[in-house]
Amino acid sequence: MPAPLPGPLPPAQSVVAVQIGEIMVTPPVIRTPAGVLPLAGSSWHVMDHWQKEEKVATWAIVASILGFFCLTVFSLLFLLVKETRHHGTVQVTVTNGGHQYVARIPVADQFQVQQINNQVNYARSLSTG
């Protein structure tokens, strides 16, 4: 049987309940790059910001260049084809007392936004319970 280690035991690491961007909720505190906030009584706010980007599709550029040699004028119609891409950020704000931290998390689709909202709702439930 091995002998017990002498001296005090190292402190146990807190378990991360949820991580939202760079915000880690480890009850009973919230850890951010700017410092530590108490979890009890904290308020959470989520805003999503979407941007729409339109550009000429890559395949349309290739088709217009290749088609230029066969159908000179009509191949330029391919340049009217646009691709629409949505992208954005979700801004999560946590406030407790006079302290506030804002995390901006890049997202590519609505599923990621819903996942962040679910994580924030879980953090809200921890802060009231």
Side-chain angles (χ1 to χ4, degrees):
M1 179 172 241
L5 296 173
L9 294 174
Q13 290 286 354
S14 298
V15 177
V16 176
V18 64
Q19 182 167 356
I20 306 162
E22 62 267 10
I23 300 172
M24 289 188 294
V25 178
T26 57
V29 295
I30 302 167
R31 299 185 188 280
T32 68
V36 177
L37 302 170
L39 179 60
S42 62
S43 63
W44 298 80
H45 185 70
V46 179
M47 286 182 62
D48 56 341
H49 304 280
W50 286 99
Q51 296 174 351
K52 181 175 146 181
E53 179 182 331
E54 286 187 2
K55 65 176 191 170
V56 177
T58 306
W59 66 267
I61 294 172
V62 172
S64 66
I65 292 171
L66 294 177
F68 185 75
F69 298 107
C70 300
L71 304 167
T72 310
V73 177
F74 296 114
S75 68
L76 296 178
L77 292 175
F78 282 115
L79 296 177
L80 296 176
V81 177
K82 304 284 185 198
E83 282 182 339
T84 303
R85 184 178 149 234
H86 296 276
H87 58 89
T89 59
V90 174
Q91 180 175 312
V92 178
T93 305
V94 60
T95 307
N96 195 323
H99 301 286
Q100 176 178 345
Y101 185 78
V102 178
R104 289 176 183 83
I105 305 162
V107 291
D109 60 17
Q110 195 63 34
F111 175 75
Q112 291 176 326
V113 174
Q114 185 61 44
Q115 188 176 19
I116 292 170
N117 278 309
N118 290 341
Q119 290 173 326
V120 170
N121 287 334
Y122 179 63
R124 281 183 186 136
S125 71
L126 291 175
S127 67
T128 59

